[in-house]
Amino acid sequence: MNILSNFFLAFGIICIFSCAAIESPSGGPKDETPPEVIEITPSDKSINFKGEKIKITFSEFIEESSVTKAIKVFPRPLNPVTVNLKNPNIIIELNDSLIKDQTYIISINRNLTDEHKVKIKEEVQLAFATGKKIDRGSIQGKVYHSSLASVELWRINKVNEDSKFFFKRAPDYVVDASDNGDFQFNFLSNGIYKIISVDKSISGLPINEEKMIYGMASQNLIDISALGSFKNIKIKIPEVEENIKMTKAEYITGGWGKLFFSNKINNWEDVLSILFYDDLQLLSSEIFKDPLDDYILNFNLNLKEPGYIDIKTIKLKDENLPKVDSSRIRLEIKNQTDSTNIKIASPLPEFIHSIESDSIKPLEIIFSSLIDNKTNKNCIWLKKDSIDIPIIIDWNSYMSINITPQINWEENSRYELQISKNFIKPLYVSDLKDSLSIIGIKTSKFKKFGNFMGDLDNISDSIIVIELSSFKNISKKFQTNVNSDGSFKMLKIPEGDYSFQIYADIDKNYKFSHGTLSPYKPAEWFEMYPDTIKIRGNWDLEMKNIKVNYLK
């Protein structure tokens, strides 16, 4: 009996350890290996394809929720494609009568993930031809975008008609750009195409040019029949919507209000006209940019009676200017005053003032409310080590004043700004609360500058522009035109790292154009230099014989 009991006990222990042996060990390194296609039935690039099922086998089990958005067929069949997951296989059925002598492309894009949420490394394109040959046309290039991008392709059926409104239908082909922006369309049939790039999140849809951000190529049409392959297509997608629109108006106090815009409104006088009117007439107004916010304009109205006004923005008639959406807002002006005290919004204590050795940079004093344009110049003092520094005072706007020392600032030094409450006269609020406001200010080291010069190989077109963009602040751009001999020179560039772009300023507005769909206008030609341009203080950086492939 004991022998039998011991036998069953030993057998049970063996079973337990045997069962444990087939389980995946807990812990261990995270699976980061992307899934791969290991088998295709029928084989990739099959000809005389009759529409039978296509089975794609992967190296790992696939996450079911990722399949629908990842598998696409181009050109798009009339009826939806049936896609079934039977891990590790995906079965595709084309529920349609296929076009004769057409190469169909099965695209597996980067939405596909395995069960561990690891995405496929790069898009896969498989080809199946209903005729005797696989089409071999290709288009490749690069997209420049801050996020993941997709590239969309339309085959143009009737050049005179379809080329104008092609973007109003879904694209015929779509590919995802790689992490560094590279893309390639393969297996294209002979024909004429147009190409657009969009953010990956909105790929595959008709383009709504009023609501979507898109980038275009400099080529108007791409003719695959003339050239079997097209290379070096370059597209830039704008980082923000370029249209400028007034989004909100806000009444503050007295005749003062603010206008809010969807985009930066620098140099607004060159872009749009702003009208103020009541039920009877146009109103006189003073408009100025907000000193603290590039998206806001301030206005000051001289109204005798409170009431409602209409505010309307109108684009100035110049195609080279940024696009402005006309808008109208109705706003109540209460014409009331405020008993609160005005404040100094900038500089705040321990403010660091950026200075230069070869020019005197003014210090801007910004107030929290509107001020009269007359100041008491005997009620403001700039001191260093208790010594008065002679200054020049300039009224900027209803909210700011510049003070400039007559002798340049000293670097890495401390100054003291003293402002009496009688220095300014607020329009709609009370005086400064303290009889004397004292603000400590520091100066920076002298900003360092370098020069950038060189020449372009085989370029003699005056519309070519050299542009440096700061990596630290992408809004900081420096530009110069290339001379007729291909040479260029950029002086006094702040020390730092920059990207280097060359573009053809066809619009002659000193701004790169990404292209427009309505009216249709391709993007301006451009090239991006692959290396970082390092500008060093008090140094000349020279680049000779820069090779570019400028296509007029």
Side-chain angles (χ1 to χ4, degrees):
M1 186 69 177
N2 288 335
I3 295 174
L4 188 60
S5 298
N6 289 338
F7 171 78
F8 282 115
L9 177 62
F11 180 78
I13 292 172
I14 292 172
C15 289
I16 290 171
F17 279 98
S18 298
C19 292
I22 64 171
E23 292 181 358
S24 298
S26 61
K30 182 180 178 181
D31 179 11
E32 296 182 349
T33 304
E36 296 179 355
V37 175
I38 59 175
E39 186 178 359
I40 306 152
T41 307
S43 61
D44 183 24
K45 301 181 184 63
S46 293
I47 59 174
N48 299 315
F49 180 69
K50 304 301 182 184
E52 56 265 32
K53 293 181 181 180
I54 300 169
K55 184 175 77 171
I56 304 171
T57 304
F58 291 86
S59 58
E60 301 185 50
F61 275 27
I62 300 301
E63 171 62 37
E64 185 175 5
S65 62
S66 73
V67 173
T68 302
K69 291 184 178 181
I71 306 296
K72 305 294 179 184
V73 179
F74 304 111
R76 296 169 183 268
L78 294 176
N79 296 318
V81 175
T82 300
V83 180
N84 292 312
L85 176 64
K86 296 183 179 179
N87 266 315
N89 304 308
I90 291 179
I91 312 297
I92 302 171
E93 294 183 65
L94 304 182
N95 304 319
D96 206 359
S97 55
L98 303 182
I99 301 172
K100 184 180 179 181
D101 297 327
Q102 173 68 54
T103 298
Y104 285 90
I105 300 167
I106 307 294
S107 169
I108 308 170
N109 65 39
R110 301 180 71 199
N111 288 315
L112 192 77
T113 64
D114 64 17
E115 288 188 324
H116 302 286
K117 307 295 184 182
V118 180
K119 289 190 175 185
I120 194 168
K121 186 176 182 181
E122 58 186 8
E123 179 163 322
V124 176
Q125 296 179 25
L126 311 173
F128 300 88
T130 56
K132 296 181 180 180
K133 66 180 181 67
I134 296 287
D135 291 318
R136 296 291 178 177
S138 66
I139 299 173
Q140 67 181 70
K142 190 177 185 72
V143 178
Y144 296 87
H145 186 39
S146 60
S147 184
L148 294 177
S150 293
V151 186
E152 304 179 328
L153 195 65
W154 286 261
R155 179 165 177 162
I156 305 304
N157 301 313
K158 295 180 180 179
V159 174
N160 292 334
E161 299 175 13
D162 195 31
S163 62
K164 294 180 181 178
F165 306 109
F166 68 95
F167 59 89
K168 293 185 180 294
R169 57 182 171 89
D172 298 311
Y173 301 88
V174 180
V175 296
D176 289 342
S178 67
D179 287 343
N180 63 359
D182 294 327
F183 71 88
Q184 181 162 342
F185 292 95
N186 296 313
F187 315 119
L188 299 174
S189 59
N190 288 348
I192 295 174
Y193 296 85
K194 281 184 180 284
I195 192 168
I196 293 175
S197 184
V198 297
D199 190 271
K200 186 177 181 297
S201 62
I202 56 172
S203 67
L205 302 173
I207 302 294
N208 183 332
E209 70 268 35
E210 297 296 329
K211 296 182 179 180
M212 292 182 177
I213 301 173
Y214 58 88
M216 300 172 64
S218 60
Q219 293 83 358
N220 183 10
L221 297 169
I222 300 175
D223 190 350
I224 293 296
S225 57
L227 295 170
S229 62
F230 231 89
K231 298 182 179 180
N232 298 320
I233 302 291
K234 295 182 176 66
I235 304 174
K236 285 183 72 173
I237 300 177
E239 296 310 312
V240 295
E241 187 176 3
E242 292 191 324
N243 290 13
I244 298 173
K245 183 177 181 179
M246 180 174 61
T247 58
K248 185 176 73 169
E250 181 181 333
Y251 172 72
I252 308 297
T253 186
W256 174 32
K258 292 177 179 283
L259 306 179
F260 297 79
F261 290 83
S262 61
N263 208 337
K264 290 184 178 181
I265 200 72
N266 299 324
N267 303 319
W268 67 270
E269 303 97 326
D270 299 330
V271 177
L272 55 83
S273 176
I274 302 175
L275 302 178
F276 296 81
Y277 53 94
D278 58 19
D279 294 334
L280 300 175
Q281 61 186 347
L282 282 174
L283 302 173
S284 176
S285 64
E286 295 178 272
I287 306 171
F288 60 96
K289 185 178 169 296
D290 194 276
L292 293 174
D293 194 325
D294 291 336
Y295 292 77
I296 295 176
L297 292 179
N298 293 270
F299 66 85
N300 188 30
L301 295 171
N302 185 14
L303 286 180
K304 295 180 179 179
E305 298 291 338
Y308 284 91
I309 65 168
D310 288 290
I311 307 167
K312 187 175 182 180
T313 59
I314 303 173
K315 178 189 176 181
L316 298 181
K317 293 182 179 180
D318 188 338
E319 289 187 359
N320 293 329
L321 294 174
K323 189 172 181 180
V324 174
D325 291 338
S326 295
S327 53
R328 176 178 169 179
I329 294 177
R330 191 165 178 82
L331 181 67
E332 183 181 8
I333 303 295
K334 299 177 181 178
N335 217 12
Q336 63 189 20
T337 56
D338 190 340
S339 60
T340 59
N341 296 100
I342 195 169
K343 296 179 181 179
I344 299 171
S346 179
L348 297 174
E350 299 303 305
F351 174 82
I352 298 177
H353 186 45
S354 180
I355 61 173
E356 300 175 9
S357 61
D358 58 352
S359 63
I360 304 176
K361 306 300 290 184
L363 174 68
E364 186 178 24
I365 305 173
I366 301 171
F367 296 93
S368 62
S369 187
L370 304 195
I371 60 173
D372 192 84
N373 60 1
K374 294 178 181 179
T375 60
N376 189 339
K377 297 185 179 182
N378 296 319
C379 292
I380 184 169
W381 303 270
L382 181 66
K383 295 177 178 287
K384 183 178 185 298
D385 300 328
S386 301
I387 299 174
D388 284 343
I389 306 297
I391 57 175
I392 299 169
I393 301 171
D394 295 303
W395 188 80
N396 265 351
S397 71
Y398 281 105
M399 294 185 73
S400 69
I401 290 171
N402 278 351
I403 65 163
T404 308
Q406 295 183 14
I407 299 174
N408 201 4
W409 308 87
E410 294 182 18
E411 63 177 343
N412 285 334
S413 298
R414 289 183 175 272
Y415 289 79
E416 188 176 85
L417 182 65
Q418 298 182 359
I419 301 175
S420 167
K421 69 185 304 179
N422 298 321
F423 172 57
I424 55 164
K425 181 182 179 181
L427 293 183
Y428 304 120
V429 296
S430 299
D431 294 335
L432 290 165
K433 183 177 181 180
D434 297 326
S435 59
L436 185 66
S437 300
I438 301 176
I439 303 171
I441 296 169
K442 296 179 180 179
T443 55
S444 67
K445 285 186 176 182
F446 285 132
K447 188 182 291 185
K448 293 183 179 181
F449 300 90
N451 301 322
F452 180 44
M453 58 196 69
D455 59 73
L456 306 183
D457 193 26
N458 296 323
I459 291 290
S460 59
D461 199 325
S462 61
I463 68 169
I464 300 297
V465 172
I466 301 291
E467 179 181 271
L468 295 182
S469 298
S470 170
F471 284 124
K472 190 175 181 180
N473 183 354
I474 60 173
S475 65
K476 291 282 187 182
K477 299 181 185 294
F478 302 88
Q479 297 188 123
T480 189
N481 283 99
V482 174
N483 299 316
S484 58
D485 62 355
S487 65
F488 65 90
K489 181 180 287 187
M490 304 177 74
L491 303 178
K492 202 175 179 182
I493 306 299
E495 189 175 56
D497 293 344
Y498 295 85
S499 63
F500 176 27
Q501 175 182 253
I502 307 167
Y503 71 93
D505 189 19
I506 298 170
D507 294 338
K508 296 185 178 179
N509 62 353
Y510 228 44
K511 179 182 178 182
F512 175 75
S513 171
H514 296 85
T516 59
L517 288 170
S518 183
Y520 186 85
K521 185 167 66 173
E524 293 174 330
W525 171 89
F526 76 96
E527 279 197 12
M528 296 291 294
Y529 191 74
D531 297 329
T532 297
I533 301 297
K534 294 182 176 292
I535 301 295
R536 297 172 61 187
N538 305 318
W539 280 73
D540 290 343
L541 175 61
E542 186 172 14
M543 297 178 63
K544 303 291 290 183
N545 301 320
I546 301 172
K547 297 188 182 298
V548 295
N549 184 27
Y550 175 40
L551 301 175
K552 292 187 178 181

